[in-house]
Amino acid sequence: MGGKYRIKGNKYPRMRRPRRRGRLVVLVVASAAVLGVGGWGTFQLIDVFTGGGKASAAGGGTDCAPKTKASASPSARALPEPRTITVNVLNATTRSGLAKKTADELKKRGFKIGDVGNATKQYDKKVKGPGVLLGPASALDTSLPVLGTQLPDAERRTDAAREGAALDLVIGDAFKELAKKPDADRALTKLATPEPAPSSKRGC
């Protein structure tokens, strides 16, 4: 045989195409890398635009526990006004004129005055403290506390059998005078608007 494939000696040349497998492998690897990078970028973009829910959930552990907001100030209690409360002022002491003087002061502070005079035998000369505030059972959390702001140290009693809504202020031996008007006004305001309950905030 002649030409390019001339036979020399006893060995024959292998007639086949040059190898291209190496180039193909490199091309496949490069394509896979490009696709991988592109896919990861796409995933990141999707995660950003959807809010990254998983990341938020994972990061929640580093935040403080939910804190309870301070409770709002409770609304004012529906207490009766002094002008709607009738008070009988009764003197259980041996000091004369004490009932009228006290009744006049209560009237200046807006209370309605009923009977003024000496206490009944049940209380006459038997009240050792500043006084006794007496009313029906329905007055326990309504009109009695309002009258109590005028004489804070007085004992409060209710009588289930008592008729009507009027209250009795029975003046005792330790009575000196009603509470100072500014102090009584502050007590009445505080009574009408209780302080808010403390909030239950917890730290991290």
Side-chain angles (χ1 to χ4, degrees), residues 34-193:
V34 171
L35 290 175
V37 172
W40 175 253
T42 303
F43 176 78
Q44 292 297 320
L45 288 175
I46 293 174
D47 188 57
V48 168
F49 284 107
T50 55
K54 292 183 178 180
S56 299
T62 60
D63 294 335
C64 296
K67 297 181 180 179
T68 304
K69 294 182 179 180
S71 57
S73 299
S75 57
R77 294 173 59 184
L79 294 173
E81 297 180 6
R83 61 183 178 82
T84 65
I85 301 174
T86 300
V87 183
N88 302 318
V89 183
L90 308 174
N91 186 5
T93 74
T94 57
R95 291 177 283 171
S96 61
L98 201 54
K100 184 178 186 307
K101 181 180 178 180
T102 303
D104 290 343
E105 183 60 29
L106 286 175
K107 186 175 182 179
K108 292 178 183 178
R109 300 184 183 188
F111 290 88
K112 293 176 63 177
I113 303 302
D115 296 335
V116 178
N118 295 326
T120 61
K121 292 182 179 179
Q122 181 181 358
Y123 295 100
D124 190 29
K125 300 179 182 62
K126 297 177 182 178
V127 179
K128 302 303 179 182
V132 174
L133 306 182
L134 182 64
S138 60
L140 181 61
D141 296 320
T142 55
S143 56
L144 270 181
V146 174
L147 181 58
T149 60
Q150 310 303 310
L151 192 60
D153 296 329
E155 181 184 353
R156 301 177 191 177
R157 298 181 186 178
T158 59
D159 184 356
R162 185 183 178 96
E163 297 180 358
L167 306 179
D168 289 348
L169 190 163
V170 183
I171 301 173
D173 292 337
F175 177 86
K176 293 182 180 180
E177 62 181 1
L178 296 175
K180 299 295 183 183
K181 190 176 186 307
D183 295 336
D185 291 343
R186 281 193 294 269
L188 188 57
T189 300
K190 185 176 180 180
L191 181 67
T193 310

